Structure formats: structure tokens, C-alpha cells
Amino acid sequence: MAKLNINVRSFSYKKGIPTDPTGNGGGFVFDCRGILNPGRIKEYKTQTGRDEDVKKYLETETKIAIFLEGVFQIIDISIEDYLQRDFENLEINFGCTGGQHRSVYSADATAKHIQEKFPEAQVTLHHVIQEEKNWINEAY
């Protein structure tokens, strides 16, 4: 039995939705732009969704927890089904304006959620914009 590979990505809508390298043609794409943008606040502009101040802002000043609760309910249905049916790939993408704050936080939280709830799945995490800029810092 092949292991389920789950690719979780953050990206910038300005650069476009990432393509599915598995050839399956897609997966989930969640739009984080409805969440207040910490990037519009001067002290957070150069930080990312992995910086403690940005994480605290998202957790206390926005509805990111409610948003992610809904995401987890949706993706868990597919992950459970994919595991039962021996599917090999699932794509989960999070986009925001710049691919720096909200989508990074959401991708990290989702990868952690999946690893904790579905340890039999293999999770790969990519931050498209962060990797392009070589801004990757500590793990989620």
C-alpha cells in the first residue's frame, strides 16, 4: 500500500495558484484574503506568518482560528477517504495577497494538524514565496 502524500503550500495570488506536480489536476485552494492582513501594519510588514508577533496578531485580532477550524473539517473528510481508498496524493494550498503572513500561518497550522491527526500520511510543506526569497526560518 502506497503512503498518502499531502502537499501543503502557501502562495501569493499575485503570482498565481501553484500547479499540481502530481498530474492529478488540483486539490484544495483556500483563500486567506478574507482574514485581516498583518502585512498592512508597519511593524509586521517585513515579518512572516512564522514570526511570533504575527502569529499572536492573527490568533488574537483576526478570525483565523474559525477559518482554520472550517478548513480542517473539510480536508479531514478527504484525507480519511483518501487513506481508506489508498490514494497517493492530495494538494492543499493557501493563498493570500503576498504569500507572506496569513497563508504561511495557515499552511503551517494545517501541516501540523494533519501530522497530529493522520500520522500515517506523509506531509510536505512548501512556502512558495518564502522559498523564492530565501526567507524560510524555524519550523512550524
Side-chain angles (χ1 to χ4, degrees):
M1 173 172 74
K3 193 169 206 175
L4 175 61
N5 296 298
I6 303 173
N7 291 313
V8 179
R9 284 186 208 84
S10 67
F11 70 95
S12 165
Y13 273 104
K14 291 179 180 180
K15 304 262 184 164
I17 299 170
T19 58
D20 176 0
T22 68
N24 291 330
F28 293 102
V29 179
F30 295 101
D31 189 341
C32 301
R33 293 175 293 183
I35 304 298
L36 290 173
N37 186 358
R40 297 201 180 272
I41 298 170
K42 186 178 180 181
E43 60 263 31
Y44 304 144
K45 202 166 206 56
T46 60
Q47 295 184 16
T48 76
R50 287 186 160 181
D51 288 295
E52 287 304 318
D53 288 344
V54 172
K55 291 184 340 186
K56 183 178 178 187
Y57 173 85
L58 287 168
E59 292 165 0
T60 61
E61 303 298 323
T62 77
K63 295 184 178 182
I64 196 97
I66 297 166
F67 172 78
L68 288 172
E69 182 179 310
V71 167
F72 297 166
Q73 288 177 350
I74 292 168
I75 66 170
D76 287 359
I77 293 167
S78 289
I79 294 170
E80 289 165 1
D81 185 69
Y82 281 27
L83 286 167
Q84 288 177 356
R85 294 167 55 198
D86 293 330
F87 280 27
E88 294 182 14
N89 297 291
L90 177 61
E91 304 292 310
I92 304 172
N93 297 285
F94 291 91
C96 63
T97 307
Q100 184 175 331
H101 300 97
R102 299 164 291 180
S103 62
V104 168
Y105 179 93
S106 296
D108 280 352
T110 300
K112 182 178 180 186
H113 166 79
I114 295 167
Q115 288 178 326
E116 289 174 356
K117 186 163 184 175
F118 303 100
E120 66 273 37
Q122 174 65 44
V123 178
T124 304
L125 180 62
H126 290 288
H127 295 295
V128 175
I129 299 303
Q130 306 302 300
E131 291 168 12
E132 285 177 5
K133 293 181 176 184
N134 200 26
W135 281 4
I136 294 297
N137 58 14
E138 81 282 346
Y140 52 94

